[in-house]
Amino acid sequence: MRSDAVVRGVSPRVHLAAGLQVMSTALVRLGMAGACVLVLVGCGATVPKPTPTPTGSFEPSPGTISLAEKGYEQGPSALIPIPDDAAITQYVDQPNVITASFSQPDGAEIAHVLRADLPGAGWEITADTPEAILFTRPGWDGAFTISENVSAVTVRAAPQ
């Protein structure tokens, strides 16, 4: 039996070689198109912004320490005042965000310390209610909230 390629006057070897060349050309074109897509996507990719470095220090009020004195190492932890008897039950300590949840003292006492000492640590209080305080400084945003049994403070790198 003769193959279809032989019937048309083309030997199977020539037919196979032509098919491989067409496939090879298609693969090269596909590879080039993929490379172009990667270049275009790469041009639109965002470069990660560095986490702002906290600067400054402050002298906490008597009976007050900083989160850094409780073992925090990241972010502006040295600039977040808390009562020295604060019990931290949950925490996050990352370069771009720090969080402390407190079981004691009650949230009102922690809020009192924050209201008194944040401005001296270079923070601006931008909102203040009995249940929450919002504060900011260059490169950082913070919030303190109070619920019935727990309170928490979170400070994160500000969006740039």
Side-chain angles (χ1 to χ4, degrees), residues 36-98:
C36 289
V37 167
L38 289 175
V39 167
L40 291 174
V41 168
C43 290
T46 59
V47 177
K49 294 179 174 65
T51 302
T53 304
T55 58
S57 62
F58 80 105
E59 186 64 37
S61 302
T64 303
I65 60 173
S66 71
L67 282 178
E69 293 174 272
K70 283 283 193 179
Y72 281 72
E73 298 176 352
Q74 305 294 325
S77 58
L79 302 174
I80 305 297
I82 59 172
D84 59 5
D85 64 343
I88 298 173
T89 56
Q90 296 180 339
Y91 69 94
V92 174
D93 190 20
Q94 298 176 347
N96 63 336
V97 65
I98 57 176

Side-chain angles (χ1 to χ4, degrees), residues 55-61 78-81 112-125 135-137:
T55 58
S57 62
F58 80 105
E59 186 64 37
S61 302
L79 302 174
I80 305 297
H112 175 76
V113 167
L114 292 171
R115 287 182 187 103
D117 284 3
L118 281 173
W123 296 93
E124 176 189 355
I125 296 176
F135 48 98
T136 189
R137 67 177 287 127

